[in-house]
Structure formats: structure tokens, C-alpha cells
């Protein structure tokens, strides 16, 4: 037999491969493998293969199985040889069928006679039907295999004969391929609903001898684990397979899961359940789930309701990251504790409003706040680094509930669109003692960290002695390094609101008796519910129509004292009636004191109006400070002639304080007035002559020297910038032939700047004084005509006249640094305060980080 098989292979004919599932008789060459004089046992059923455990596995006959054309082409069988072989097989099959039919006729008839349940004809029909069905199944499987393996060569079909296996191995060695590449290990699995490797394998599991299993690779590490892995070998060059692009709309609502570069599963984006989604199983199960997913159906209903509303964006889509970002702004903006996100009520509210929002812990929200602060701080730092203008600072000290001293520094500037901007850049803990050197160290480190050390225009502080000393240290440091103009004389701006407060406080000291009587009267009527009701009845009896009751002041705030005095004037008759009816009410003001209250309110009303004007932060105030402070002087001059001696004493004390601070700040107050096209230098000269009299020329000259020094300094900066631009342009174009051309341009620019621009501006007509005049709009339009003065106006008009912008930050500090948040570190407090202010003023973006164009 070995010789015959060898000859058959050498002749190029393909050996007849059989499967016991096909129901055909064994071929004569394989029957000779049984020992001489023995016959294989009869089958239990005509369609079952003969089985005998006493025979070796190699002697089990196999039936013929369809083989693809690619196998014949691979083995080299010609079409003529194939046709002759098929004809010989057909003749041999007919002879064997006739002989086997005669041999099996008598035993079959005897079984029918002895009570067999079915006749020979029925058995034959069943055998033929099963054979036809198996043939059709085999053809279908082979068709599927051809379709999947189109363009690829199948491995050679190995028979159950050890000799054929040996020949196949030799052939593999001569062709340069290993037997493992030719032989695949079929798996004996159970009945599968979908075609498996066992169904696609040309050799049945039951007909596979032990020798074939020995040649098969052992499934283990790196062995194919899926049908596609078994059908399509993994690449051997070590590169990873790039997943194909998914085009199905299912993947808009599901996340693909890849295993070894192959799509195997899909995860629902709504309920996170995982379903099979390979090429074999398809995505039908995932698609069916998306139709009935409860979470998705609920979300679709909500989205549909939102789409039907005109107020909701129809393209809205829930995003967890955006929701967390907005939650960070909520906590920071309103000073909420971090544990707010863990409140049961808040989580229930989120579950009702948006059940897809994943709740977070207080540690996570704190980390998100710190991360957001650092992200937006980088935008601000880049902006200040790239800006080509100067900035002004305001600062104020504050003591928290934990007796810790904090310094708040706010930066002010005018952007390229001529809009006033300001943001808190530092809210830091100051170590004790809070002396000038410690504060100076904190300020210097802060301006270095924000890259504005060489861009400081002014620093507005209150009139505390420690602040004056600190400014002296800072001025010396900046002047020595030539980082500030005019030797730092315009650096220190005294807070106008604080100056007015000191003036009023000195005046109210001489009016303590009157103010105390009014304060005690208000306390009396607000001491109990009975007195409040009694006071309301008296108001109705006197026919007074006033919706508000008298307010109580804060002794340290003069504006609240003014509001208290003003609120009691409409109830003068009620207090007089109460003094007559209530013996316990012994501190009612007299008629003379009520007249003094009227005069004080008339005087303090001017101070209050001036404070409100110069405390603005959304418009320039430096040009308004001189006008408002002069209106205060006019009122003081009028009240100094009052018939009441007490009023005259009060006004004299106020004028002393007024003169002291006017002499210290008139220079910084007059520079912005010169840049106001409605007044220019004429108003400054007129007011100073009226205030100083004969000695006014010295002070007027000082103002002119200051504006001239600023003009020359800014002109030099513009000249340096223009010369650099011309040098770069000359290098690129190669037109700089004359070595003295840059010197000529320097002379022309110097003449134009020194002679024409400043003088031309001062000699032009004044702009009409209209109520809706906007000085920033005027300079935005006229800065091309006056480029140097435009740069000066941009920096000087950004100087705030008061520190209210820094003090306003403390209004939220009590909520941020409460008693239950004392464990917060200084860095966390600074992050919350700065980021909260940035949110209120408008978040900085990467667009603001771009450098401004030079005017």
C-alpha cells in the first residue's frame, strides 16, 4: 500500500479523501489495510461508519469528500488525469455497490422477518436522504470557505494515512514551509449554530488519526482564539494591524472593543453593557439592545422634549466634562463648600434634572478647581508677557476670621479695543510682622511671577504709613533698574475713597453729640417688636409716606453714617412725638441739632457722590478724580461760612486734611486731566492758580515737566520699536545702502514727536463737554493721529483712583474662608479667590494671550 500511494502521489493524482459522515463505501486501496482473512464489522446503521475499537486509527476507512479546485491546482493534477481518475472511481463504485447490495440483502430481510420496525426500502430511502443532505451541507460549507479564502491558497488536505502525512511533510520541507503552516488543528466542539472551524475543515474530527494531531500546533500563547484568527493568520512581521474604519451608525451610540486588532465587542454608551460585535456574530444584538435600552429611551425622550422647546439648542448634547466644568464655576463663584457636591439633596436634584451626570466627591471638585485655576492662570501669564503696554496695580490688606493677614493685588489695564479690564492676580498670605519689608517682598515676588516687573505704571494704595514705606522700597528698586518713568514720581497713587473717608471722619469728630443722639434714637425704636409697631402707628398718624424705616450705621464707615442721618430726616415729627409720649426716650435731638443734621447731610452728600464716581471699575476714573475732589473743595468753602459754629469747626478740620492730601497727590491727579480733550492744560492752570494763588507757577511748571518727561520716554520706546522694524525690513529687502539712513529717521522722528504731536494736541480746540462723552472712544479714534500720546493715555487712564476693586474681593471672603474651611491652605484660598474673580470679570481665553498690535 505504501508503494501504491507513493506511486499515486508521484503520478500527480490526488489521493481519495474520505469521511465517515458521507456514507460511501471504502475504496479498495484502503480496504487492504485490514489483516488478511478478516472483514470489517458491519455497521449498526447503513448511514453509520464501521467502528471497531480493536483496529488502529489509521485503518479506519474514510469516504470521499469534495475537494476544491485550488487543492488540485496545488498538487499539480492535470484536468485529463482528473477526468480519468473520476471515471475509474465511478466504475469501481458501481461494482462495490452491487456486491454490497447482494451481501446485505439477506441479513436485512431476516431482520424485517423477525420483527424489524422498518423495511429495506425505507432504510434505503433514509440512507439516501441523509447522504444527499450531507452532500449539500458539505457543498455549502466549501462554498463559504471558498468565499472567505478567495485569493488565498488552502493548506493541503491530509488523509488519515500516516504515509500520506509523511509525504506531505516532505513536500512542505522541499517547498520551504513548515508542516504547521500546512496543517491546522481542528477542535472537537459540540453542535454550533454558526459554522465553526470543525465544519470548515476538510478533514472530519472523527477521521483524524493521532499522527495528524501530533503534527498540529498546540493551542496556547499566541494561538488563534477566534474563527477569524484561525482563518486569517496574524502578520509575522511584528506590526500591529490597523483597525478598519467603522461606518455603521451603531457606533455613534456604542464604543467598539478591539482584541488583537480585531473588532470583537461593543459597549453601550448609556448603560455600559457589553455585547458581541465581531464580524462573525455581527452587531444585530447590539442594535436590538439600543432599541430597548431603558437609559437611552429615557434620554431620547428628554432630548425630544428639549428639541420641541424654542429656548433650547436643538443640537444640544450632554457632555460630562462640560457639566463638571460648570459645577466648578458654581462652587467657586458662590463660595460653596466642596462638600456641597456630596449633599443628598444636590445629588437627587442632579438625578432628576440629568440622570447621566456622574456625581463626584469633594476631593475631586477641589482638584478640578485647582486645575482650572492653573489653566486660566497660564492664559493670563502669557497675556501679560506678550502685552506691549503698562499696567496699574491696586492693593489692600485684609484679616480673615482666623486672624490671618492676606494681601490682595489687582491688575488694571486697557485692552486693544480700549476697554477697561482688571483681574485679581494675587491673594496671598503675608507672614508676620506686616511691616514694609515683608509686604515689599510679597509685592516684588508677585510682579516677577506675572512678568510685569518692567510694565508697572502706578500702584494705588490707601494712606497707611506702612504702605507709604513699602512704595518707597519699590520705587527705589524699579528706578535703579530703569524700569519706570519719571523717576517713579507717578508711582504712588493715594486711594481717593480713603482720602475722602479720612476727611469726613475728622469732621464728624466734632459732631459726635449729634450723631450719637441720632444713633441712639434708631436703636431705641428697633430694640423690640412693641416699639417697632408703636413707631409704625405714629408714622400713620402723622401721615408720613415712607416705605423704609431709619437705618442703623456702622461706626467705622462714614457713608453708612450719612445714610443713617439721611434716613431719619423724614421721621423728624415722629421722633418729636415719641419724645413727648415716652418718658424713657431721653435722647431725642433738639431743633438746633436737627438743623445741624440737615447741614451735615448736604455736605456729606457731595462726598458720597464723589466716592461713588471715583470707585467705578468699568470706566476710567483717574481723569475724574481731580474734578470730583474740586467739587468737594467748593462745598467745604461754602460750609465754612455757615452761621452754626459747630459746622464751621467741623469744616475747618476737614479742610486741613483736604489740603494735606491735595498737596501730596495733585501731580498724579493733574496728568490725566491734561489727556482729557475737553480740558487739556488750560483747566489745570486755571485750577492751580485759583488754589495756590501767587505761588501757582511752580506747581504748574511741575505738571508740564512731568507730561513732557512722559512724552519723551514713550517717544523713545516707539522710536526703538520703529527702528527695529526698519532694520528688519532693510535686512530682508536689502535696501539699507546708506549707513546714516537710520540716523536721519531718528532725527525726523524726534522732531516730529517733540515739536508737533504734543504741541499740536494742546493747541487744538477743546472737545465739546457732553453728558455722554466717552474719553476712551475719543482716544481710540484719535490715537493714530497722536501715536505717542495715545500710548500715554492708554496707560494713564487705566490708573484706578481708588482701591475699591481690591476691597470688593473681601466681600466674598467671609464665605470662602469660613470656620468649617479653616483647613484650606493658602494656595487653595488664592486659587478660589483669583479664579472666582476671573469668572465674574469674564474668563481669560487663549485669544487674549496673543500679543497686541503696537499703536
Amino acid at each position: 500500500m505504501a508503494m501504491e500511494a507513493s506511486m499515486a502521489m508521484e503520478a500527480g493524482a490526488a489521493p481519495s479523501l474520505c469521511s465517515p459522515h458521507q456514507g460511501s463505501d471504502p475504496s479498495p486501496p484502503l480496504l487492504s489495510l485490514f489483516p488478511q482473512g478478516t472483514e470489517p464489522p458491519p455497521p449498526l446503521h447503513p448511514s453509520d461508519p464501521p467502528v471497531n475499537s480493536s483496529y488502529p486509527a489509521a485503518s479506519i476507512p474514510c469516504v470521499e469528500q469534495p475537494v476544491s479546485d485550488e487543492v488540485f491546482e496545488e498538487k499539480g493534477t492535470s484536468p485529463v488525469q482528473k477526468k480519468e481518475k473520476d471515471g475509474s472511481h465511478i466504475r469501481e463504485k458501481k461494482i462495490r455497490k452491487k456486491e454490497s447490495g447482494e451481501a446485505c440483502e439477506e441479513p436485512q430481510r431476516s431482520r424485517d422477518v423477525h420483527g424489524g420496525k422498518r423495511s429495506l426500502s425505507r432504510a434505503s430511502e433514509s440512507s439516501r436522504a441523509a447522504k444527499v443532505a450531507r452532500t449539500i451541507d458539505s457543498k455549502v460549507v466549501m462554498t463559504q470557505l471558498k468565499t472567505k479564502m478567495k485569493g488565498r491558497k488552502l493548506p493541503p488536505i491530509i488523509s488519515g494515512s500516516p504515509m500520506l502525512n509523511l509525504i506531505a511533510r516532505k513536500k512542505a520541507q522541499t517547498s520551504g514551509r513548515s508542516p504547521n503552516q500546512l496543517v491546522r488543528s481542528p477542535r472537537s466542539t459540540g453542535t454550533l449554530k454558526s459554522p465553526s472551524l470543525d465544519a470548515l475543515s476538510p478533514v472530519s474530527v472523527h477521521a483524524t488519526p493521532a499522527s495528524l494531531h501530533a503534527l498540529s500546533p498546540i493551542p496556547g500563547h499566541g494561538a488563534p482564539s477566534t474563527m477569524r484568527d484561525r482563518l486569517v493568520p496574524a502578520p509575522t512581521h511584528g506590526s500591529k494591524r490597523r483597525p478598519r474604519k467603522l461606518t455603521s451608525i451603531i457606533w455613534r451610540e456604542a464604543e467598539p472593543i478591539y482584541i488583537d486588532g480585531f473588532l470583537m465587542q461593543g459597549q453601550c454608551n448609556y448603560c455600559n453593557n457589553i455585547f458581541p460585535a465581531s464580524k462573525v456574530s455581527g452587531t444585530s444584538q447590539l442594535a436590538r439592545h439600543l432599541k430597548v435600552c431603558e437609559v437611552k429611551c429615557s434620554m431620547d425622550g428628554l432630548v425630544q422634549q428639549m428639541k420641541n422647546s424654542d429656548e433650547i439648542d436643538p443640537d444640544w448634547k450632554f457632555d460630562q466634562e462640560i457639566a463638571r466644568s460648570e459645577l466648578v464655576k458654581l462652587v467657586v463663584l458662590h463660595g460653596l463648600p466642596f462638600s456641597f457636591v456630596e449633599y443628598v439633596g444636590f445629588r437627587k436634584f442632579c438625578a432628576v434634572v440629568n440622570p447621566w451626570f456622574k456625581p463626584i466627591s469633594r476631593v475631586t471638585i477641589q482638584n478640578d478647581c485647582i486645575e482650572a485655576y492653573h489653566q486660566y492662570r497660564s492664559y493670563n501669564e502669557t497675556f501679560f508677557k506678550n502685552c506691549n503696554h503698562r499696567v496699574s496695580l491696586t492693593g489692600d490688606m485684609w484679616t480673615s476670621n482666623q486672624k490671618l493677614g492676606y494681601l490682595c493685588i489687582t491688575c488694571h489695564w486697557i485692552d486693544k479695543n480700549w476697554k477697561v479690564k482688571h483681574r485679581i492676580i494675587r491673594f496671598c498670605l503675608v507672614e508676620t510682622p506686616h511691616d514694609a519689608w515683608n509686604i515689599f517682598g510679597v509685592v516684588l515676588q508677585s510682579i516677577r511671577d506675572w512678568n510685569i516687573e518692567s510694565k508697572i505704571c502706578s500702584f494705588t494704595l490707601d494712606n497707611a504709613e506702612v504702605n507709604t514705606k513699602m512704595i518707597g522700597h519699590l520705587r527705589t528698586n524699579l528706578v535703579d533698574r530703569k524700569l519706570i518713568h519719571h523717576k517713579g514720581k507717578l508711582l504712588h497713587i493715594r486711594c481717593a475713597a480713603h482720602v475722602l473717608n479720612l476727611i469726613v471722619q475728622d469732621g464728624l469728630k466734632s459732631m459726635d453729640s449729634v450723631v450719637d443722639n441720632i444713633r441712639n434714637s434708631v436703636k431705641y425704636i428697633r430694640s423690640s417688636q412693641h416699639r417697632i409697631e408703636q413707631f409704625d402707628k405714629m408714622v400713620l398718624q402723622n401721615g408720613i409716606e415712607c416705605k423704609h424705616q431709619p437705618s442703623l450705621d456702622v461706626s467705622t464707615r462714614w457713608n453708612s453714617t450719612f445714610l443713617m442721618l439721611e434716613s431719619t430726616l423724614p421721621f423728624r415729627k415722629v421722633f418729636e412725638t415719641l419724645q413727648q409720649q415716652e418718658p424713657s426716650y431721653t435722647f431725642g435731638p433738639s431743633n438746633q441739632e436737627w438743623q445741624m443734621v440737615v447741614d451735615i447731610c448736604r455736605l456729606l452728600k457731595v462726598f458720597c457722590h464723589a466716592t461713588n464716581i471715583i470707585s467705578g471699575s468699568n470706566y476710567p476714573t483717574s481723569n475724574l478724580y481731580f474734578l470730583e475732589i474740586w467739587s468737594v473743595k467748593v462745598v467745604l468753602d461754602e460750609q465754612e461760612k455757615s452761621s452754626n459754629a459747630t459746622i464751621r469747626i467741623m469744616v475747618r478740620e476737614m479742610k486741613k486734611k483736604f489740603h494735606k492730601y491735595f498737596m501730596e497727590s495733585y501731580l498724579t491727579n493733574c496728568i490725566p486731566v491734561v489727556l482729557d480733550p475737553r480740558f487739556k492744560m488750560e483747566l489745570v492752570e486755571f485750577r492751580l492758580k485759583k488754589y495756590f494763588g501767587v505761588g501757582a507757577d511752580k506747581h504748574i511748571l511741575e505738571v508740564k515737566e512731568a507730561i513732557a518727561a512722559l512724552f519723551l520716554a514713550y517717544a523713545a520706546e516707539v522710536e526703538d520699536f520703529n527702528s527695529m522694524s526698519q532694520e528688519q525690513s532693510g535686512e530682508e529687502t536689502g535696501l539699507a545702502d546708506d549707513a546714516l539712513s537710520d540716523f536721519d529717521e531718528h532725527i525726523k522722528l524726534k522732531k516730529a514727536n517733540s515739536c508737533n504731536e504734543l504741541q499740536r494736541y494742546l493747541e487744538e480746540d477743546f472737545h465739546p463737554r457732553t453728558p455722554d462723552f466717552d474719553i476712551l472712544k475719543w482716544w481710540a479714534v484719535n490715537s493714530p493721529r497722536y501715536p505717542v500720546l495715545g500710548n500715554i493715555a492708554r496707560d494713564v487712564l487705566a490708573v484706578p483712583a481708588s482701591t475699591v476693586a481690591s476691597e470688593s474681593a473681601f466681600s466674598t471672603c467671609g464665605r470662602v474662608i469660613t470656620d468649617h474651611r479653616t483647613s484650606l491652605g493658602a494656595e487653595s484660598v488664592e486659587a478660589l479667590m483669583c479664579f472666582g474673580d476671573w469668572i465674574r470679570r469674564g474668563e481669560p481665553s487663549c485669544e487674549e494671550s496673543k500679543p497686541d498690535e503696537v499703536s
Side-chain angles (χ1 to χ4, degrees):
M1 283 299 298
M3 184 63 68
E4 294 176 1
S6 177
M7 293 174 64
M9 292 296 293
E10 292 175 0
S16 177
L17 303 181
C18 308
S19 175
H21 292 284
Q22 300 298 329
S24 301
D25 296 331
S27 59
L30 293 178
L31 286 175
S32 62
L33 294 175
F34 291 99
Q36 234 177 4
T38 62
E39 295 292 334
L44 299 177
H45 190 274
S47 62
D48 294 335
V51 179
N52 193 341
S53 59
S54 63
Y55 290 93
S59 63
I60 299 177
C62 56
V63 297
E64 187 175 350
Q65 183 182 15
V67 184
S68 64
D69 298 337
E70 295 178 10
V71 176
F72 286 108
E73 294 175 5
E74 181 177 349
K75 292 190 176 183
T77 306
S78 63
V80 178
Q81 292 174 342
K82 175 182 175 183
K83 185 174 181 180
E84 293 177 356
K85 184 64 177 179
D86 292 343
S88 62
H89 278 202
I90 294 173
R91 290 192 296 271
E92 291 174 357
K93 285 175 63 178
K94 289 181 179 180
I95 296 173
R96 288 196 303 272
K97 183 176 181 180
K98 183 177 181 181
E99 293 176 353
S100 61
E102 294 176 355
C104 296
E105 183 178 357
E106 184 64 25
Q108 185 66 33
R109 186 181 295 111
S110 62
R111 284 198 297 269
D112 292 341
V113 172
H114 288 83
K117 293 186 178 180
R118 60 180 180 175
S119 62
L120 179 62
S121 60
R122 292 185 177 181
S124 301
E125 291 177 5
S126 176
S127 176
R128 286 195 299 272
K131 179 179 178 181
V132 171
R134 281 191 292 272
T135 304
I136 294 174
D137 291 342
S138 178
K139 291 182 178 180
V140 172
V141 171
M142 292 307 299
T143 302
Q144 295 176 354
L145 181 62
K146 288 180 180 180
T147 303
K148 292 186 176 183
M149 298 300 293
K150 187 175 182 181
R152 300 177 56 90
K153 288 187 177 182
L154 291 173
I157 302 175
I158 308 301
S159 176
S161 172
M163 181 60 66
L164 297 181
N165 288 330
L166 179 61
I167 296 172
R169 285 197 297 272
K170 290 183 178 180
K171 185 175 182 181
Q173 293 175 0
T174 58
S175 62
R177 290 186 294 177
S178 62
N180 291 344
Q181 293 176 328
L182 300 176
V183 182
R184 297 183 179 273
S185 173
R187 298 185 178 183
S188 57
T189 59
T191 304
L192 300 177
K193 296 181 181 179
S194 60
S196 64
L197 181 62
D198 302 330
L200 297 176
S201 177
V203 182
S204 177
V205 175
H206 302 287
T208 304
S211 59
L212 184 59
H213 286 291
L215 293 175
S216 302
I218 300 175
H221 180 70
S225 58
T226 63
M227 181 180 297
R228 179 161 184 167
D229 294 335
R230 293 193 292 269
L231 292 177
V232 182
T236 58
H237 49 78
S239 62
K240 294 184 179 179
R241 181 181 182 274
R242 179 179 297 176
R244 64 185 179 88
K245 184 178 180 181
L246 303 177
T247 58
S248 176
I249 59 174
I250 291 179
W251 301 116
R252 299 178 183 176
E253 301 175 307
E255 186 71 21
I257 299 176
Y258 292 90
I259 299 177
D260 296 334
F262 295 99
L263 178 63
M264 299 302 297
Q265 295 173 329
Q267 184 178 18
C268 178
N269 290 339
Y270 305 98
C271 61
N272 297 328
N273 290 331
I274 298 177
F275 300 90
S278 63
K279 189 173 183 180
V280 176
S281 61
T283 58
S284 303
Q285 190 173 356
L286 182 58
R288 289 193 298 269
H289 165 74
L290 291 174
K291 293 180 180 180
V292 298
C293 180
E294 296 181 358
V295 181
K296 180 180 181 300
C297 293
S298 178
M299 186 174 184
D300 290 343
L302 178 62
V303 173
Q304 189 62 32
Q305 294 178 3
M306 296 176 65
K307 288 183 177 180
N308 295 333
S309 176
D310 297 335
E311 300 178 357
I312 303 298
D313 185 5
D315 298 329
W316 174 86
K317 183 178 181 182
F318 172 69
D319 192 323
Q320 177 73 13
E321 296 299 326
I322 296 178
R324 285 179 58 176
S325 177
E326 294 299 325
L327 181 59
V328 166
K329 297 175 186 177
L330 171 67
V331 172
V332 173
L333 186 61
H334 299 286
L336 300 175
F338 294 137
S339 58
F340 171 77
V341 298
E342 297 180 350
Y343 290 173
V344 177
F346 174 74
R347 295 198 169 184
K348 287 184 177 180
F349 173 77
C350 292
V352 173
V353 174
N354 193 339
W356 303 277
F357 177 73
K358 298 178 182 178
I360 57 178
S361 65
R362 55 184 176 182
V363 177
T364 303
I365 192 66
Q366 181 178 4
N367 295 336
D368 289 350
C369 292
I370 302 300
E371 182 181 356
Y373 161 72
H374 286 292
Q375 178 183 359
Y376 288 109
R377 173 168 176 163
S378 64
Y379 295 154
N380 280 324
E381 289 178 348
T382 305
F383 167 77
F384 288 124
K385 183 178 180 181
N386 297 331
C387 70
N388 57 1
H389 54 77
R390 292 183 175 267
V391 297
S392 298
L393 304 178
T394 58
D396 198 11
M397 288 289 297
W398 173 79
T399 303
S400 68
N401 298 339
Q402 294 77 35
K403 307 303 179 183
L404 301 176
Y406 287 89
L407 175 63
C408 179
I409 301 177
T410 307
C411 185
H412 304 255
W413 74 96
I414 296 177
D415 63 5
K416 59 184 178 181
N417 298 323
W418 290 86
K419 300 293 183 182
V420 177
K421 300 287 185 179
H422 66 92
R423 292 192 182 110
I424 296 177
I425 62 173
R426 197 71 194 274
F427 193 90
C428 56
L429 180 67
V430 181
E431 298 180 355
T432 56
H434 299 161
D435 55 7
W437 278 109
N438 281 344
I439 299 177
F440 166 69
V442 173
V443 171
L444 187 62
Q445 185 63 38
S446 301
I447 61 179
R448 286 177 178 175
D449 292 342
W450 284 90
N451 301 314
I452 57 176
E453 192 176 11
S454 60
K455 301 176 181 180
I456 301 297
C457 179
S458 65
F459 204 150
T460 305
L461 296 166
D462 59 27
N463 294 277
E465 184 179 358
V466 64
N467 291 334
T468 304
K469 293 181 180 179
M470 187 275 294
I471 283 293
H473 299 325
L474 182 63
R475 181 187 293 111
T476 302
N477 183 280
L478 298 178
V479 170
D480 292 344
R481 293 184 292 165
K482 299 180 180 179
L483 300 178
I484 194 168
H485 299 319
H486 197 42
K487 299 181 181 180
K489 293 182 180 181
L490 306 177
L491 176 63
H492 188 194
I493 306 296
R494 300 182 181 273
C495 176
H498 193 253
V499 169
L500 295 178
N501 178 58
L502 294 177
I503 294 174
V504 173
Q505 293 293 349
D506 283 358
L508 292 177
K509 288 180 181 179
S510 57
M511 304 284 292
D512 287 343
S513 59
V514 179
V515 175
D516 289 342
N517 286 338
I518 297 295
R519 184 181 294 116
N520 292 331
S521 298
V522 175
K523 288 182 179 179
Y524 178 84
I525 64 175
R526 295 166 62 96
S527 60
S528 65
Q529 181 180 358
H530 172 71
R531 292 179 177 177
I532 294 176
E533 294 176 354
Q534 186 181 7
F535 183 80
D536 292 339
K537 291 180 180 179
M538 292 182 180
V539 170
L540 294 177
Q541 291 174 0
N542 288 274
I544 299 174
E545 297 181 359
C546 187
K547 298 181 180 179
H548 304 287
Q549 291 185 348
S551 61
L552 189 63
D553 72 329
V554 179
S555 58
T556 57
R557 296 176 56 187
W558 72 267
N559 55 340
S560 66
T561 302
F562 161 70
L563 295 176
M564 180 189 69
L565 297 176
E566 190 179 39
S567 65
T568 56
L569 288 177
F571 302 97
R572 177 177 177 178
K573 294 182 179 180
V574 179
F575 283 106
E576 292 176 351
T577 305
L578 184 64
Q579 186 177 7
Q580 298 174 0
Q581 296 180 358
E582 294 291 335
S584 57
Y585 180 60
T586 59
F587 30 78
S590 62
N591 292 334
Q592 185 179 4
E593 290 178 340
W594 278 113
Q595 185 60 39
M596 292 174 62
V597 170
V598 174
D599 295 338
I600 293 174
C601 290
R602 187 182 300 114
L603 177 62
L604 296 183
K605 188 173 184 179
V606 178
F607 281 86
C608 186
H609 179 269
T611 302
N612 294 333
I613 293 296
I614 63 181
S615 298
S617 57
N618 297 325
Y619 55 87
T621 58
S622 60
N623 61 314
L624 304 177
Y625 185 18
F626 185 83
L627 304 178
E628 296 299 327
I629 203 72
W630 191 265
S631 64
V632 170
K633 179 185 179 301
V634 172
V635 174
L636 291 177
D637 292 341
E638 292 177 356
Q639 293 296 327
E640 190 178 13
K641 302 176 183 179
S642 175
S643 59
N644 192 313
T646 307
I647 296 293
R648 290 196 302 269
I649 295 173
M650 181 189 71
V651 171
R652 288 171 188 167
E653 295 297 326
M654 296 174 71
K655 290 190 69 173
K656 290 180 181 179
K657 187 72 68 172
F658 178 89
H659 179 72
K660 174 186 176 181
Y661 288 108
F662 185 84
M663 292 297 296
E664 292 179 350
S665 59
Y666 77 91
L667 179 61
T668 56
N669 295 337
C670 290
I671 298 297
V673 178
V674 176
L675 298 173
D676 193 328
R678 298 173 298 175
F679 310 113
K680 300 182 181 180
M681 195 66 192
E682 294 296 330
L683 180 64
V684 173
E685 294 180 0
F686 179 75
R687 292 301 185 196
L688 291 183
K689 287 180 180 180
K690 191 171 184 179
Y691 187 86
F692 293 107
V694 179
D697 293 339
K698 179 180 65 174
H699 303 288
I700 294 174
L701 181 61
E702 187 178 1
V703 174
K704 291 182 178 180
E705 290 177 352
I707 192 69
L710 283 178
F711 185 82
L712 292 177
Y714 276 84
E717 293 178 355
V718 175
E719 178 185 354
D720 293 340
F721 178 81
N722 292 336
S723 61
M724 290 176 59
S725 301
Q726 291 174 2
E727 289 177 2
Q728 294 177 357
S729 177
E731 291 176 358
E732 293 177 358
T733 58
L735 298 179
D737 298 330
D738 189 0
L740 297 177
S741 60
D742 56 346
F743 178 74
D744 296 336
E745 293 294 334
H746 166 72
I747 297 299
K748 292 179 182 179
L749 182 63
K750 186 175 181 179
K751 289 181 179 180
N753 291 336
S754 60
C755 299
N756 294 335
E757 184 175 330
L758 179 58
Q759 189 173 1
R760 186 161 32 92
Y761 167 76
L762 295 176
E763 292 177 355
E764 281 187 356
D765 294 337
F766 298 100
H767 189 277
R769 294 195 302 274
T770 56
D772 58 345
F773 173 74
D774 190 341
I775 189 172
L776 294 182
K777 288 184 178 180
W778 190 92
W779 278 108
V781 173
N782 293 273
S783 58
R785 296 174 54 209
Y786 310 109
V788 178
L789 288 177
N791 291 338
I792 297 176
R794 185 178 182 181
D795 294 343
V796 171
L797 295 178
V799 176
S802 67
T803 61
V804 174
S806 296
E807 293 176 357
S808 62
F810 303 141
S811 62
T812 60
C813 289
R815 290 179 287 166
V816 173
I817 314 175
T818 53
D819 294 336
H820 66 276
R821 301 184 69 178
T822 55
S823 60
L824 283 178
E827 295 182 357
S828 299
V829 173
E830 181 176 10
L832 292 173
M833 292 303 305
C834 293
F835 188 45
D837 180 76
W838 299 344
I839 295 175
R840 296 183 189 94
R841 309 304 172 191
E843 300 173 22
S845 62
C846 57
E847 294 295 331
E848 295 186 5
S849 301
K850 298 179 181 179
D852 297 341
E853 296 180 0
V854 179
S855 300

